[in-house]
Amino acid sequence: MSTLLEARNVSKIFGGGLFDKSRTVALEDFSFQIDTDKPSVTSIVGESGSGKTTLARLLLGLVAPTEGEVLYYGKNLERLGGSDRKQFLRDIQVIFQDPFEVYNPFYRIDHVLDTPIRNFGLARGETARKELINESLEAVGIRPEEILGRFPHELSGGQRQRIMVARALLLRPKLIIADEPVSMVDASLRATILGSLLRLNREFGISLIYITHDLTTAFQVSEDIMVLYRGTVAEAGDVDKVVREPEHPYTRLLVGSIPLPDPDLPWEGERAIGRPAGELGESGEKFCKFNDRCPFAMPMCVQSDPPLFQTHANRVTSCFLYRESPELPMAKMTSIFKSATREGPPEDTAQLDGLDAELEVSQENSSTPTGGDD
Amino acid sequence: MVEETLSAEEPTVETKETLKVEDLHVYFHTYAGAVKAVNGVSFVLKSGERFGLVGESGSGKSTIALSLLRLIKPPGRIEGGSVYLNGVDLVSLSEEQMRRKRLDEIALVAQGAMNSLNPVRRIRDQFLLAFGDHDIDVKRSGFDDHIGDLLSRVGLGRDVANMFPHELSGGMKQRVCIALAISLSPSVIIADEPTSALDVVVQWQVMDTLRRVQEDLSASVILIGHDMGLMAQFVDRLGVMYAGRLVEIATVRDMFNDPLHPYGQMLIASLPSLESRKDSLQGIPGITPSLLNPPSGCPFHTRCPKVMEHCKTVTPELQEVRQNHWVACHLYEEA
């Protein structure tokens, strides 16, 4: 087993220069590993300001950590040399939030697919190039003749985002980091994009890090989840446990705030946990980041920061309410993830029907969608 | 002054219908031709009701919001139809008469409304500007009390009145916008994606605030958006827009438990839930049609799995196929 990408006790602090007193801790003492031999789907969930995008940028080597290091096959990202660097750029792919900004409006769609083929010498000759592009596009449910030769403005946001997935697939990466890939796309198209990402995981063995603020889609696509709050991990582990039976008060608040698409289910929001407790006395140097919003806060919550308590075989919670459970060092967090402990492929084999149905329906209108019981 | 005589002749029979939209057409005239953003939409908003309009981007839902307030700017134009607010047809009013109706009787909480606050004015001044436009004597004493009351009704402290917008968080600014919208006790509040840029916990707070003030005022709300979850949790009745038309209207329970239109069915089937992961990553194939050159017949026929031959030529009309459940689809024509 080898570790593809690892964050080791990483912190990122913005500001705080010589004359600048204001410091923003975007991420605090964070550790995380992605292994090569078990393709996994991990979600990182948090509100704006939770540090989730900073984490993505650290893993991509776009920003350098203030403390700690990010390692690619054990080598520090900041000191990667020529061929290692090139291999890194190929192995780790990213899909950004905005499917409009990533295209150069002056070039046809082909350009965005040709560039990686040229830069990495993926195909020799015109036929091989076309074959590779067609194969990638079909894997994400797009018929090549519909989009090749067209300009970005002629395509919908959903199509553009799927072309980005196809572009990532061209390189056969080991890991795709998708930062809010569906938040700017219509609801009816989200499922298809997430479906195509999942297909890459299942069929091509590519690991996924899915960064989002949306717990429902995180629940749908991933095995493991990390809930971030102001740069720290609030709760992490098996997505079924974390989302369905949340433990950390913040996760409970998040889950309670999701408006579920069923009018018979409650929407409790803040009522899910109640009002903050209030006066806890002077805050120490270390404290639980959630204490000012937490109805269960105790004096110890403002005196020290809670470590990870392992409350279940596949789950850790960073909250003193669970201090009876054994502590787990941050560096070992990913070792209890479901993707790390399971044997063989994930049990929940993906729901890819949507994508297959897509190709079928667009060719001949015969299949009936589910959900219509009339 | 033709408009005034027209509006005077309108029957002002007071029913429980606060707002009634009849066969509304809004086109945007571009060089390439007329974009039919709203193409024959009719619905009724009952007093004290929360009504939702859902649709994909480009389905015309925000255009409806703006045309109800008559804020459509050229090249857009209301081409036909009527909007009766408490019995008065807004489409026939003069610009000045309409200006007086806005905020007083019909108010808007816009998408990203928090960015509509003037960054160099204190919150208090933004209220005074709005009142000034409605001939309310803002010099009267006790006015700060009134603003304080409005702010506390949306769950903000009275001291917020003296702050600048940049001192407030996104959720607080959105609540200031709600306070502004309710400042003259309108009978209709139009909320166009009021929480689209907010985190989920803040979204709950803002929607909870909106619901509370709406019930206080017994005003009606039209919530416009694409988040079906938000609709399920907030509205009483729901209308589904597709390519400039309303294709289905039902109570929120009927819509989620028994959608009739194939688009509504696929939309609801595509929703991710926390219940199970079965069959859940199913999107709707195809793309939304161009409104510049909409397909003939039913606008959904290009993506519909149950398409029939005459769907391609005949446009289905919205009709009540079950009690309070309207649908525009040829599948239900015999019923």
Side-chain angles (χ1 to χ4, degrees):
Chain A
M1 183 159 93
S2 57
T3 306
L4 173 67
L5 196 63
E6 178 178 1
R8 201 178 279 171
N9 302 101
V10 165
S11 296
K12 180 69 194 175
I13 298 164
F14 291 106
L18 198 53
F19 303 104
D20 186 3
K21 288 251 172 68
S22 68
R23 282 156 45 100
T24 308
V25 182
L27 200 64
E28 197 175 315
D29 190 25
F30 180 85
S31 296
F32 177 74
Q33 292 106 27
I34 290 275
D35 289 333
T36 39
D37 52 352
K38 281 182 186 169
S40 56
V41 184
T42 310
S43 288
I44 298 173
V45 176
E47 294 176 279
S48 36
S50 62
K52 56 187 194 298
T53 297
T54 301
L55 175 56
R57 295 173 64 85
L58 283 166
L59 293 178
L60 289 164
L62 297 176
V63 291
T66 315
E67 280 163 43
E69 47 189 358
V70 183
L71 306 169
Y72 167 68
Y73 285 120
K75 292 177 193 152
N76 192 322
L77 272 195
E78 290 169 71
R79 290 191 289 276
L80 276 188
S83 61
D84 282 343
R85 176 113 205 121
K86 192 149 190 184
Q87 192 59 36
F88 169 76
L89 290 176
R90 184 171 173 175
D91 276 351
I92 319 286
Q93 288 300 314
V94 62
I95 291 165
F96 288 109
Q97 175 171 15
D98 191 332
F100 300 90
E101 267 183 9
V102 294
Y103 288 91
N104 185 333
F106 294 110
Y107 288 112
R108 293 177 200 275
I109 293 295
D110 312 42
H111 179 78
V112 80
L113 298 168
D114 282 338
T115 310
I117 295 182
R118 208 172 44 242
N119 287 350
F120 288 94
L122 301 179
R124 284 205 185 151
E126 185 62 14
T127 7
R129 186 189 70 90
K130 271 197 176 140
E131 215 165 273
L132 192 64
I133 289 183
N134 289 1
E135 189 193 16
S136 280
L137 287 173
E138 273 157 19
V140 298
I142 285 185
R143 271 177 290 153
E145 63 272 19
E146 279 181 5
I147 62 120
L148 292 179
R150 299 176 76 178
F151 283 99
H153 70 264
E154 297 177 273
L155 305 179
S156 74
Q159 281 176 314
R160 290 186 217 194
Q161 200 63 309
R162 274 192 279 166
I163 293 167
M164 280 295 116
V165 179
R167 187 202 62 84
L169 176 64
L170 277 177
L171 295 158
R172 295 289 187 275
K174 299 211 165 65
L175 171 69
I176 292 179
I177 299 177
D179 188 0
E180 301 263 19
V182 294
S183 66
M184 294 183 68
V185 177
D186 269 318
S188 70
L189 300 167
R190 283 183 191 172
T192 331
I193 292 169
L194 291 174
S196 56
L197 277 170
L198 266 190
R199 168 178 272 203
L200 302 197
N201 173 255
R202 303 296 196 264
E203 289 183 10
F204 298 92
I206 298 170
S207 290
L208 285 178
I209 295 181
Y210 174 54
I211 298 175
T212 182
H213 66 275
D214 180 3
L215 270 173
T216 1
T217 52
F219 174 75
Q220 292 294 328
V221 301
S222 60
E223 262 186 298
D224 298 295
I225 189 171
M226 282 182 273
V227 181
L228 295 187
Y229 183 73
R230 290 203 213 160
T232 56
V233 173
E235 190 167 349
D238 180 358
V239 72
D240 278 305
K241 287 269 171 260
V242 174
V243 174
R244 282 190 162 161
E245 302 152 26
E247 284 179 343
H248 195 287
Y250 175 63
T251 326
R252 285 191 236 169
L253 176 63
L254 264 189
V255 173
S257 300
I258 305 172
L260 292 168
D262 180 348
D264 294 316
L265 291 173
W267 191 29
E268 289 174 303
E270 278 171 346
R271 287 191 283 269
I273 57 165
R275 292 238 155 231
E279 290 309 300
L280 289 165
E282 198 64 12
S283 178
E285 202 153 277
K286 298 205 158 202
F287 51 89
C288 169
K289 299 281 190 300
F290 191 60
N291 79 72
D292 54 335
R293 290 169 73 185
C294 183
F296 311 105
M298 303 167 280
M300 66 195 303
C301 301
V302 293
Q303 293 310 326
S304 55
D305 50 351
L308 298 175
F309 295 104
Q310 185 173 4
T311 56
H312 177 271
N314 296 119
R315 184 227 301 255
V316 286
T317 304
S318 165
C319 177
F320 284 122
L321 289 177
Y322 302 92
R323 58 189 182 277
E324 313 279 280
S325 306
E327 277 183 38
L328 188 79
M330 182 70 205
K332 291 210 170 138
M333 179 178 72
T334 26
S335 69
I336 60 110
F337 276 11
K338 216 171 151 197
S339 54
T341 52
R342 71 173 146 82
E343 300 288 324
E347 35 198 279
D348 255 320
T349 322
Q351 316 308 321
L352 300 170
D353 335 355
L355 208 66
D356 299 330
E358 155 109 10
L359 285 171
E360 270 167 42
V361 173
S362 53
Q363 277 151 19
E364 199 49 65
N365 300 305
S366 52
S367 69
T368 315
T370 52
D373 47 345
D374 45 303
Chain B
M1 291 292 100
V2 184
E3 291 99 316
E4 272 179 28
T5 43
L6 266 178
S7 66
E9 276 167 19
E10 289 302 336
T12 46
V13 199
E14 192 52 60
T15 56
K16 276 161 72 188
E17 293 168 359
T18 305
L19 188 80
K20 188 174 174 191
V21 178
E22 273 181 359
D23 201 26
L24 186 68
H25 287 79
V26 184
Y27 296 171
F28 287 85
H29 298 278
T30 65
Y31 291 116
V35 175
K36 294 168 179 139
V38 176
N39 199 357
V41 163
S42 307
F43 66 92
V44 161
L45 181 69
K46 295 176 200 143
S47 131
E49 183 186 42
R50 290 189 292 266
F51 182 72
L53 276 179
V54 280
E56 294 173 70
S57 37
S59 62
K61 53 192 195 304
S62 289
T63 307
I64 290 189
L66 292 180
S67 40
L68 294 184
L69 286 141
R70 275 202 29 208
L71 287 174
I72 296 287
K73 295 261 170 2
R77 233 178 77 194
I78 300 180
E79 295 288 321
S82 326
V83 177
Y84 295 100
L85 174 64
N86 297 320
V88 178
D89 186 3
L90 298 183
V91 175
S92 65
L93 293 184
S94 72
E95 200 47 54
E96 176 59 19
Q97 287 169 318
M98 188 60 219
R99 188 182 68 73
R100 286 170 186 281
K101 293 271 182 201
R102 289 184 203 125
L103 199 65
D104 195 13
E105 286 186 51
I106 182 164
L108 174 72
V109 181
Q111 183 170 15
M114 51 262 208
N115 302 327
S116 67
L117 296 172
N118 186 336
V120 297
R121 293 233 179 201
R122 291 180 197 278
I123 299 300
R124 177 177 181 275
D125 297 340
Q126 324 231 3
F127 279 90
L128 296 184
L129 270 177
F131 295 155
D133 276 350
H134 286 267
D135 300 341
I136 295 164
D137 182 11
V138 292
K139 293 190 197 77
R140 205 180 61 193
S141 60
F143 222 79
D144 285 337
D145 266 358
H146 182 54
I147 295 172
D149 282 344
L150 284 168
L151 289 172
S152 56
R153 274 168 89 171
V154 296
L156 295 172
R158 286 166 175 269
D159 50 330
V160 168
N162 289 320
M163 291 185 182
F164 286 101
H166 72 264
E167 297 176 84
L168 307 173
S169 70
M172 290 168 88
K173 279 189 265 187
Q174 197 61 297
R175 282 194 260 182
V176 168
C177 290
I178 294 176
L180 268 168
I182 62 163
S183 57
L184 298 179
S185 308
S187 47
V188 176
I189 302 168
I190 298 172
D192 185 4
E193 307 224 21
T195 56
S196 57
L198 301 174
D199 283 320
V200 58
V201 177
V202 183
Q203 166 173 279
W204 177 85
Q205 293 165 343
V206 169
M207 294 314 287
D208 193 56
T209 305
L210 186 58
R211 187 198 318 245
R212 221 177 38 245
V213 297
Q214 175 251 340
E215 282 169 0
D216 279 357
L217 293 174
S218 45
S220 314
V221 168
I222 299 181
L223 176 67
I224 288 166
H226 62 261
D227 183 346
M228 290 295 273
L230 199 57
M231 292 293 167
Q233 297 295 341
F234 188 80
V235 302
D236 307 313
R237 264 186 335 127
L238 189 57
V240 179
M241 293 280 303
Y242 188 79
R245 292 170 187 276
L246 265 172
V247 294
E248 188 164 0
I249 305 178
T251 63
V252 71
R253 278 209 165 69
D254 285 348
M255 188 67 85
F256 279 89
N257 298 334
D258 189 17
L260 295 179
H261 197 284
Y263 177 65
Q265 290 170 353
M266 293 171 90
L267 194 62
I268 283 164
S270 77
L271 297 174
S273 81
L274 295 182
E275 291 299 300
S276 74
R277 264 173 277 194
K278 273 267 163 284
D279 294 334
S280 42
L281 281 184
Q282 198 143 358
I284 302 180
I287 53 169
T288 39
S290 150
L291 295 174
L292 191 60
N293 193 5
S296 59
C298 172
F300 190 57
H301 86 252
T302 52
R303 296 167 84 185
C304 183
K306 297 178 182 171
V307 64
M308 298 173 291
E309 211 35 59
H310 62 296
C311 297
K312 295 172 186 169
T313 49
V314 188
T315 310
E317 292 298 318
L318 197 63
Q319 50 182 328
E320 192 170 15
V321 297
R322 295 195 194 150
Q323 200 184 358
N324 294 323
H325 199 146
W326 298 66
V327 62
C329 180
H330 290 308
L331 287 173
Y332 304 94
E333 236 134 54
E334 278 98 294

